[in-house]
Amino acid sequence: MDTVKELLLLLVGSSLVSNVVLSQFLGLCPFLGVSKKTNTAAGMGAAVIFVITLASAVAGLIYKFILQPLEAEYLQTIVFILVIAALVQFVEMFLRKVIPSLYQSLGVYLPLITTNCAVLGVALTNVQKEYGILAGIVNGFATALGFTIAIIILAGIREKMEFNDIPESFKGMPTVLLTAGLMAIAFCGFSGLL
């Protein structure tokens, strides 16, 4: 029972309290670049959920059963990057074949998941905090869920802002950055949950 409670706290903590984008400032490139439309943001969020969750599982297994027994922990960053790159290639091939419209709308940001520091950050956090395989997977899923929540909220706000009368000097990225900052402040309110 304690394990379920700990995993639930990890789920809430990683997705809302320690949101990867709004409190750790990881994964900002796709967060700002793909958040123009909610359907594109949701597609990016789904791809990130898949990649981070699977990368957390595979990286945790490789670290525990290969790198630690061989005392080759110093290779963790290189190995994790290779795992992430392979998973992103799989997602890219899948989307190109099954959902070509989403593949086109994500554009350059889909391959950029490979260099998304949030993905690597989760794998390294799992190792640094010495999470087990299950806790690492839950942390990865929760982190990706938090990313998805944040990017969809920002995309919804940006869609509504298109119809507002904004001063010329604030149009575009300045307004997006101000909105992201206000979202970060709002997400600080979740810190009282834990």
Side-chain angles (χ1 to χ4, degrees):
M1 191 64 167
D2 285 336
T3 306
V4 174
K5 184 178 177 182
E6 289 172 11
L7 291 177
L8 188 59
L9 287 173
L10 183 62
L11 181 71
V12 171
S14 293
S15 61
L16 297 176
V17 177
S18 298
N19 187 285
V20 70
V21 177
L22 300 174
S23 70
Q24 298 176 23
F25 308 113
L26 299 174
L28 288 174
C29 179
F31 177 70
L32 297 174
V34 184
S35 61
K36 292 179 183 169
K37 300 288 179 201
T38 52
N39 57 353
T40 307
M44 174 58 87
V48 168
I49 286 174
F50 177 79
V51 169
I52 289 182
T53 305
L54 212 55
S56 297
V58 173
L61 290 169
I62 289 173
Y63 185 79
K64 183 173 182 169
F65 295 112
I66 297 174
L67 296 179
Q68 276 186 329
L70 295 175
E71 296 179 4
E73 292 93 348
Y74 59 91
L75 293 174
Q76 69 187 9
T77 304
I78 295 169
V79 171
F80 293 169
I81 289 172
L82 291 174
V83 167
I84 292 164
L87 290 172
V88 169
Q89 287 299 314
F90 174 74
V91 169
E92 193 172 355
M93 289 185 304
F94 176 79
L95 288 179
R96 187 182 306 161
K97 189 76 171 171
V98 178
I99 314 172
S101 60
L102 179 60
Y103 174 78
Q104 290 296 325
S105 64
L106 290 175
V108 71
Y109 294 101
L110 185 59
L112 282 178
I113 293 175
T114 304
T115 59
N116 185 341
C117 52
V119 182
L120 181 60
V122 171
L124 293 174
T125 299
N126 289 343
V127 169
Q128 289 171 350
K129 292 190 176 180
E130 298 178 358
Y131 289 145
I133 304 296
L134 181 60
I137 293 170
V138 169
N139 183 49
F141 173 77
T143 301
L145 182 64
F147 175 86
T148 303
I149 291 168
I151 197 171
I152 289 174
I153 290 172
L154 182 63
I157 293 170
R158 286 181 75 175
E159 284 182 352
K160 297 290 183 192
M161 285 190 312
E162 286 181 21
F163 303 109
N164 293 345
D165 186 25
I166 298 172
E168 191 64 37
S169 59
F170 279 99
K171 284 186 179 178
M173 199 50 67
T175 305
V176 174
L177 291 173
L178 284 171
T179 304
L182 292 172
M183 286 176 58
I185 292 170
F187 267 67
C188 286
F190 289 118
S191 62
L193 288 173
L194 298 180

